[in-house]
Amino acid sequence: MWDPNEEEFPLFLRSIYHATRDLLDAVEVECNVTGNTDALRISSQERLFHCLAMQFVEPADCLPKVAEPDKVDKENRKIYRFRAYVGEKQNLDVMRRIASLRVAESVYPASLRNGRLMIADKSGGSLGHLSFAEDELYYCLFPYMSAHMAQVRLTVKNVQRNKGNYLRHAKAEIEFLIRLNQEADNYRNPDMNKRIENILSDYRNQLRVAVYSGRL
């Protein structure tokens, strides 16, 4: 299991990346594939990476080692405060929505999957995914949200946009408040082995179809 006191998170992620690569390589050897599989690997590797990272990060053990609660409410629920942001440089619609945000305005969680929290404005328009400066926060916070053991409040703190005539980028700083339920201290991530097995099985089937069709 990853311990923040013993290993820097980027090194842990590097180990996870090598593990995903080795697992997919083993499936390719099993299927006797020798062609270029990069296009097929992308989705499987992303899903596999997320599952393996969750398998080796326990939020209840790690969060107290990487952050202090901002306060504790009268029901003894811990409240954490983090700086986050959303930004866009390509999708003009998303850039416009971010650029139109106002300080102190609330934004809202839209969906959470594969380690990404998509957020939206008050009209439901997508603002892209929320980002933290510290990657470990994704795996320390989002599992509580998936398990419905937390409530969050997202507030716009600052908005940056280019000053030219044409919008080329937009970025908003978001204050991320999360309140954990009392039972969160005892939370443990679900076992990922079955999901990992299914991802590898799906990839195996994709390879066999590609070989049969002559694409590999």
Side-chain angles (χ1 to χ4, degrees):
M1 303 303 294
W2 178 62
D3 186 336
N5 294 334
E6 296 182 1
E7 183 181 24
E8 294 181 2
F9 198 65
L11 296 178
F12 166 75
L13 290 184
R14 187 180 302 174
S15 298
I16 295 297
Y17 168 77
H18 285 298
T20 61
R21 188 183 61 183
D22 290 346
L23 286 169
L24 294 177
D25 285 348
V27 174
E28 292 176 9
V29 169
E30 176 189 339
C31 295
N32 197 29
V33 172
T34 57
N36 189 323
T37 60
D38 289 350
L40 286 175
R41 286 176 72 118
I42 293 175
S43 175
S44 295
Q45 188 155 8
E46 180 181 357
R47 293 163 57 210
L48 190 58
F49 183 94
H50 174 62
C51 286
L52 280 173
M54 284 190 65
Q55 186 85 311
F56 291 98
V57 176
E58 284 294 355
D61 295 335
C62 295
L63 183 57
K65 297 179 181 179
V66 301
E68 292 287 336
D70 188 62
K71 61 181 178 180
V72 177
D73 71 7
K74 61 183 180 181
E75 296 181 22
N76 204 34
R77 295 175 297 186
K78 297 173 183 175
I79 301 173
Y80 292 84
R81 184 189 308 266
F82 299 99
R83 291 176 60 187
Y85 63 91
V86 287
E88 182 60 48
K89 295 181 179 180
Q90 296 180 340
N91 188 307
L92 184 58
D93 288 338
V94 174
M95 279 191 280
R96 285 172 175 162
R97 293 189 195 106
I98 295 174
S100 67
L101 293 173
R102 296 291 178 262
V103 172
E105 179 180 349
S106 293
V107 293
Y108 306 92
S111 65
L112 177 60
R113 60 180 183 273
N114 288 340
R116 284 191 169 191
L117 176 64
M118 306 302 293
I119 66 173
D121 61 19
K122 60 185 178 182
S123 299
S126 175
L127 299 171
H129 67 273
L130 193 73
S131 297
F132 295 100
E134 301 84 7
D135 287 340
E136 56 266 36
L137 292 179
Y138 299 107
Y139 294 97
C140 290
L141 300 176
F142 292 172
Y144 293 122
M145 297 176 63
S146 294
H148 305 289
M149 290 189 177
Q151 297 79 44
V152 301
R153 187 174 70 194
L154 310 178
T155 307
V156 178
K157 301 298 290 183
N158 185 37
V159 180
Q160 302 173 19
R161 60 184 73 83
N162 65 288
K163 298 180 180 180
N165 294 328
Y166 299 99
L167 189 60
R168 293 189 298 273
H169 66 82
K171 182 178 180 179
E173 181 183 342
I174 306 295
E175 179 184 72
F176 181 95
L177 282 177
I178 183 168
R179 182 178 65 191
L180 304 182
N181 297 353
Q182 290 183 3
E183 62 267 27
D185 288 342
N186 300 315
Y187 174 76
R188 288 293 181 267
N189 274 331
D191 188 285
M192 294 287 113
N193 282 336
K194 187 62 178 178
R195 293 191 193 179
I196 292 170
E197 180 183 337
N198 289 339
I199 292 169
L200 295 177
S201 179
D202 289 344
Y203 186 57
R204 185 178 296 108
N205 291 335
Q206 290 178 45
L207 290 176
R208 287 171 176 167
V209 169
V211 169
Y212 182 78
S213 64
R215 290 185 285 120
L216 285 177

